[in-house]
Amino acid sequence: MKKHHHFIIYKPYGFLSQFVNNQTKRKKKLLGELYNFPDKTMAIGRLDVKSEGLLLLTTDGKVSDFITTRGNVEKEYYVQVNGEIIPSKIEELKKGVEIGFDGKKYTTKPCKASIIKTPNLPKRAQKIREERHGPTSWISITLTEGKFRQVRKMTSAVGHPTLRLIRVRVGAIKLEKLNVGEVKEIETLV
């Protein structure tokens, strides 16, 4: 029986969550630059180029399918947003907000959300913005779905655009003390 490989990585800001770049015009940083992954390694879900944090990789398509579509697996994000967010906006996020998806209106499923203290995270390679542009807040959002740029669209829908987005947990797997760009092979993902 063929042994599958599973990895957790701290995806840095500025990297695509893929191994092949189909855009010939611009050179983008790809996951393969971080580690010598075995053939047929795939990202489980995605983090957009401006997002950071925990990304799961596997050579097992069944595990990928379970986590992304069938497992109802929680994904937790720490999000730095523009402005001082108030509890009523957190309640809106929890209940579900209307966002655009695939050219249509979509109401997000209820989720967990809370205001958090500034987390102890590595500085991002690219500066967020100047402090003189006003206050920011940190929130935690935990979802079981994952539409294209969903967290960013959700925070914008309540009037607090995302400035920084870090995935810190997928199911029971946590980012914990991984360094930015670090790759760690693990026994299992589920």
Side-chain angles (χ1 to χ4, degrees):
M1 184 175 192
K2 183 182 170 211
K3 181 184 184 299
H4 284 287
H5 299 274
H6 311 289
F7 304 90
I8 59 173
I9 71 171
Y10 190 135
K11 185 191 98 55
Y13 176 89
F15 275 73
L16 291 175
S17 295
Q18 59 194 50
F19 293 91
V20 177
N21 186 359
N22 296 325
Q23 297 176 342
T24 55
K25 291 182 182 178
R26 290 184 287 181
K27 172 82 172 107
K28 296 278 187 179
K29 294 178 183 174
L30 305 174
L31 296 177
E33 297 174 37
L34 298 174
Y35 189 82
N36 186 19
F37 294 102
D39 287 344
K40 300 186 179 174
T41 300
M42 66 189 95
I44 300 175
R46 301 211 176 228
L47 287 172
D48 66 45
V49 73
K50 293 182 177 180
S51 298
E52 313 160 59
L54 183 63
L55 190 61
L56 310 181
L57 305 170
T58 187
T59 57
D60 188 344
K62 289 179 182 175
V63 169
S64 177
D65 183 55
F66 175 80
I67 291 173
T68 56
T69 59
R70 291 192 225 157
N72 223 19
V73 175
E74 286 187 341
K75 295 153 213 79
E76 183 178 7
Y77 302 85
Y78 288 170
V79 191
Q80 184 180 21
V81 296
N82 190 45
E84 288 185 42
I85 196 163
I86 57 175
S88 64
K89 299 295 182 178
I90 295 295
E91 290 306 312
E92 287 180 45
L93 290 169
K94 286 181 180 179
K95 290 176 184 171
V97 295
E98 190 175 272
I99 62 173
F101 177 68
D102 266 352
K104 300 176 186 128
K105 303 257 185 221
Y106 174 79
T107 301
T108 59
K109 292 180 182 175
C111 69
K112 297 175 187 171
S114 61
I115 298 170
I116 60 173
K117 292 180 180 177
T118 303
N120 184 16
L121 294 163
K123 291 222 181 285
R124 192 171 82 178
Q126 183 178 350
K127 191 170 185 169
I128 307 296
R129 66 163 207 201
E130 298 291 329
E131 287 181 24
R132 62 186 166 89
H133 293 295
T136 65
S137 304
W138 280 92
I139 61 175
S140 169
I141 296 179
T142 303
L143 311 169
T144 55
E145 59 181 341
K147 305 292 184 204
F148 181 71
R149 295 180 174 253
Q150 180 171 339
V151 172
R152 292 179 186 281
K153 291 176 181 181
M154 288 172 69
T155 64
S156 286
V158 298
H160 293 277
T162 295
L163 301 173
R164 187 175 183 195
L165 178 66
I166 304 102
R167 182 161 50 204
V168 295
R169 181 174 64 84
V170 176
I173 300 171
K174 296 180 180 177
L175 185 61
E176 293 184 331
K177 293 181 174 49
L178 278 182
N179 295 313
V180 176
E182 185 177 350
V183 178
K184 185 175 177 183
E185 187 162 6
I186 60 175
E187 284 297 313
T188 185
L189 294 173
V190 288

